[in-house]
Amino acid sequence: MSMKKTIEKAEEYLLHTYNRYGIVFDHGDGVRLYDADGKEYLDFCSGIAVFALGYGNKRYEKALTDQIGKITHISNYYYSEPLAEAAEGLVKASGMDKVFFTNSGAEAVEGAIKAARKYAFNKDGKCDHEIIAMEHSFHGRTFGALSVTGNEHYREAFRPMIGNVSFAKFNDYESVEALVSDRTCAIIMETVQGEGGIYPADKEFLQKIRKLCDEKDILLILDEIQCGMGRCGSMYAYMQYGVKPDILTTAKAVGCGVPVGAFLMNEKVAANSLVAGDHGTTYGGNPLACAAVAEVLRIFEDDKIIDNVNKIAPYLQKKLQEIVDEYDFLLAERGLGLMRGIVFDTAKKKPGDVAAAALSNGLVLITAGTDVIRFLPPLTITEADVDEMADKLRRALSE
Ligand SMILES: *Cc1c(COP(=O)(O)O)cnc(C)c1O
């Protein structure tokens, strides 16, 4: 089918909730994508931080096809070996104690919120607990996740949200402290805000929040759905902050293309929150998804993926800073590891226009917030890939 025909068919039948670019992607290889006409694109989006290993990793593909040959689904009333393997792997990699597998990031956030509310309910038997979330945060599109998402644009038409959520200013400790009451059960935030515009948490901010949570027995929920799984230079970004969350959410790169997420918790929360019957999912943790998770984690270790992140990230940062210095409509570069953004003076140039121009030049990029283009390449990129990206980006910026 021609690209035009595919697009026409898709638009005829799909509910229009995305303004898609007019490209039909057909296959991938390493850090490159190919459209249905065979045109090559360098991918600095990786399906929004999903394809951490790049496309066509042979070990990953073999693990999946082997599992497809055996069984792809059993109900959660039974055990499977991939489930046990993935659970051990993810608990060890995340530094947490127990895991619940979901099908997506939003569902991981739902589970995290339920665990926090149950923990508080178990303490005082009350149903009036509050959650503090952050402005400009993003946690997903389902009602619980949307209720802690600090972006009015996503929420307005869908009110009422779940109640008792208030929003503090990210990286402003006093604004968090001001919202705390004796009914606060959890503080939720991304360790590095993604959709909101690539804002890493300040170390001091996160450490003070941790201390506050300890003092008041408030649960700290860190959403690392985008910034986790090695992207920021450690298996989870929190590991660079000298703090540990009580509940951690993960998804996106954890299955590298198979839809899967998880929420994890420490022993304290595990022992005092969700019990049999409290939470469930039909697909969550099925053998196909778990075969992917278990193999992804093994490949991360064997191929020293995080070492590559730490090798390439400073180079990417340097190249982006050079570009920022060259264009008067670029204001700054920021990020952590291979999760980076450049900030636009939107009165002079729109990031969306540059992302579209980049695509025509064979470079896949996406925006974040209102004034940022973000860079989320596969974690396997090389310096040569960064150089190629910089050339293509310059061309797009100069258009
Ligand atoms: C993408 C994302 C989500 C939502 O994940 P889905 O799989 O799209 O439901 C939640 N939190 C963060 C930080 C994300 O980046």
Side-chain angles (χ1 to χ4, degrees):
M1 223 188 317
S2 74
M3 294 220 280
K4 189 164 168 284
K5 275 220 166 101
T6 303
I7 292 166
E8 277 168 11
K9 185 185 278 206
E11 285 301 331
E12 184 175 355
Y13 294 107
L14 278 175
L15 185 67
H16 191 89
T17 55
Y18 284 99
N19 290 319
R20 294 171 207 265
Y21 293 102
I23 291 178
V24 179
F25 281 124
D26 183 67
H27 62 282
D29 182 21
V31 299
R32 272 147 233 282
L33 282 169
Y34 297 84
D35 71 19
D37 290 344
K39 183 179 166 185
E40 183 185 296
Y41 300 80
L42 179 65
D43 184 7
F44 265 60
C45 163
S46 42
I48 316 187
V50 168
F51 251 97
L53 298 173
Y55 304 96
N57 182 293
K58 290 288 167 255
R59 268 183 74 182
Y60 173 77
E61 290 180 353
K62 184 173 186 309
L64 286 187
T65 47
D66 285 356
Q67 191 57 46
I68 287 169
K70 286 188 195 166
I71 194 164
T72 57
H73 180 78
I74 52 157
S75 106
N76 271 316
Y77 290 117
Y78 310 95
Y79 299 92
S80 75
E81 195 174 309
L83 176 64
E85 292 287 326
E88 179 190 30
L90 195 57
V91 161
K92 287 186 172 163
S94 68
M96 305 301 288
D97 295 316
K98 298 280 184 190
V99 60
F100 182 102
F101 286 106
T102 65
N103 311 291
S104 68
E107 283 170 85
V109 174
E110 298 292 326
I113 292 171
K114 280 180 74 175
R117 280 193 170 176
K118 182 77 193 289
Y119 178 88
F121 176 81
N122 277 350
K123 274 198 300 187
D124 62 14
K126 291 188 180 149
C127 300
D128 60 352
H129 299 106
E130 298 166 351
I131 296 173
I132 299 171
M134 299 297 146
E135 291 177 6
H136 306 297
S137 61
F138 182 82
H139 298 290
R141 304 292 195 144
T142 54
F143 269 104
L146 198 56
S147 298
V148 292
T149 288
N151 182 336
E152 200 43 38
H153 175 68
Y154 294 149
R155 298 151 49 94
E156 193 184 4
F158 307 103
R159 289 183 183 288
M161 299 284 112
I162 69 163
N164 293 12
V165 176
S166 56
F167 292 91
K169 288 193 167 53
F170 193 58
N171 282 334
D172 177 346
Y173 178 74
E174 276 74 38
S175 77
V176 180
E177 211 178 21
L179 294 174
V180 170
S181 80
D182 53 12
R183 295 182 299 174
T184 306
C185 70
I187 298 175
I188 182 167
M189 71 174 92
E190 295 149 273
T191 314
V192 181
Q193 287 191 334
E195 305 295 312
I198 314 292
Y199 291 96
D202 294 338
K203 200 166 188 173
E204 200 196 342
F205 174 69
L206 197 47
Q207 289 181 346
K208 278 178 149 175
I209 298 260
R210 177 69 269 178
K211 197 160 159 275
L212 176 72
C213 288
D214 287 340
E215 281 164 15
K216 308 219 176 237
D217 198 20
I218 295 167
L219 299 181
L220 176 60
I221 305 172
L222 289 182
D223 179 348
E224 297 219 6
I225 288 167
Q226 192 163 151
C227 64
M229 281 302 286
R231 177 147 302 274
C232 292
S234 49
M235 201 62 204
Y236 284 87
Y238 83 79
M239 294 167 174
Q240 297 172 50
Y241 284 82
V243 301
K244 240 175 127 167
D246 299 292
I247 303 175
L248 178 74
T249 59
T250 186
K252 292 200 163 93
V254 80
C256 279
V258 170
V260 53
F263 63 99
L264 298 107
M265 53 188 73
N266 62 21
E267 205 62 65
K268 176 179 92 168
V269 180
N272 298 290
S273 63
L274 302 175
V275 294
D278 275 349
H279 198 54
T281 160
T282 300
Y283 281 134
N286 90 9
L288 183 66
C290 284
V293 174
E295 195 66 12
V296 165
L297 291 167
R298 286 185 208 110
I299 296 169
F300 259 73
E301 210 168 296
D302 294 346
D303 292 1
K304 304 198 162 44
I305 298 295
I306 292 173
D307 289 355
N308 192 59
V309 174
N310 288 316
K311 183 173 150 234
I312 302 296
Y315 190 72
L316 175 61
Q317 178 174 19
K318 186 174 132 238
K319 289 285 149 180
L320 291 177
Q321 187 59 56
E322 283 169 17
I323 289 170
V324 166
D325 294 341
E326 281 164 35
Y327 295 86
D328 68 337
F329 55 82
L330 293 179
L331 304 176
E333 185 281 343
R334 65 172 173 251
L336 196 62
L338 290 179
M339 180 172 181
R340 315 208 69 86
I342 52 174
V343 186
F344 283 68
D345 178 346
T346 52
K348 292 184 180 154
K349 194 100 172 166
K350 302 263 181 294
D353 295 342
V354 174
L359 203 54
S360 312
N361 282 299
L363 171 64
V364 183
L365 287 175
I366 48 169
T367 60
T370 53
D371 60 352
V372 170
I373 279 188
R374 67 184 136 159
F375 302 82
L376 302 167
L379 306 184
T380 52
I381 54 161
T382 62
E383 291 189 356
D385 297 326
V386 173
D387 290 341
E388 186 185 328
M389 183 281 292
D391 285 347
K392 289 181 162 160
L393 177 60
R394 279 193 177 91
R395 247 174 283 153
L397 288 166
S398 303
E399 268 177 27

Short mmCIF file of all heavy atoms in Angstrom, two decimals, residues 9 47 184 294 336 343:
data_model
loop_
_atom_site.label_atom_id
_atom_site.label_comp_id
_atom_site.label_asym_id
_atom_site.label_seq_id
_atom_site.Cartn_x
_atom_site.Cartn_y
_atom_site.Cartn_z
N LYS A 9 -6.69 5.55 4.73
CA LYS A 9 -7.45 4.49 5.40
C LYS A 9 -7.44 4.71 6.91
O LYS A 9 -8.48 4.61 7.58
CB LYS A 9 -6.85 3.12 5.06
CG LYS A 9 -7.68 1.97 5.62
CD LYS A 9 -7.05 0.61 5.39
CE LYS A 9 -7.32 0.07 4.00
NZ LYS A 9 -7.28 -1.39 3.93
N GLY A 47 10.37 6.26 19.79
CA GLY A 47 8.99 5.94 20.16
C GLY A 47 8.62 6.51 21.52
O GLY A 47 7.91 5.88 22.29
N THR A 184 -2.23 14.28 54.22
CA THR A 184 -1.41 14.00 53.04
C THR A 184 -0.89 12.56 53.09
O THR A 184 -0.23 12.18 54.05
CB THR A 184 -0.20 14.96 52.98
OG1 THR A 184 -0.68 16.31 53.06
CG2 THR A 184 0.58 14.77 51.70
N ALA A 294 12.36 -9.39 30.98
CA ALA A 294 13.49 -10.17 31.51
C ALA A 294 14.69 -10.09 30.57
O ALA A 294 15.84 -9.90 31.01
CB ALA A 294 13.07 -11.62 31.73
N LEU A 336 19.19 15.39 31.68
CA LEU A 336 20.01 14.46 32.44
C LEU A 336 20.27 13.25 31.55
O LEU A 336 19.32 12.68 31.00
CB LEU A 336 19.27 14.05 33.74
CG LEU A 336 20.08 13.38 34.85
CD1 LEU A 336 21.18 14.29 35.38
CD2 LEU A 336 19.16 12.94 35.99
N VAL A 343 15.68 24.80 24.53
CA VAL A 343 14.57 25.71 24.81
C VAL A 343 14.52 26.82 23.76
O VAL A 343 15.54 27.44 23.47
CB VAL A 343 14.73 26.34 26.22
CG1 VAL A 343 13.50 27.17 26.56
CG2 VAL A 343 14.97 25.26 27.26
#
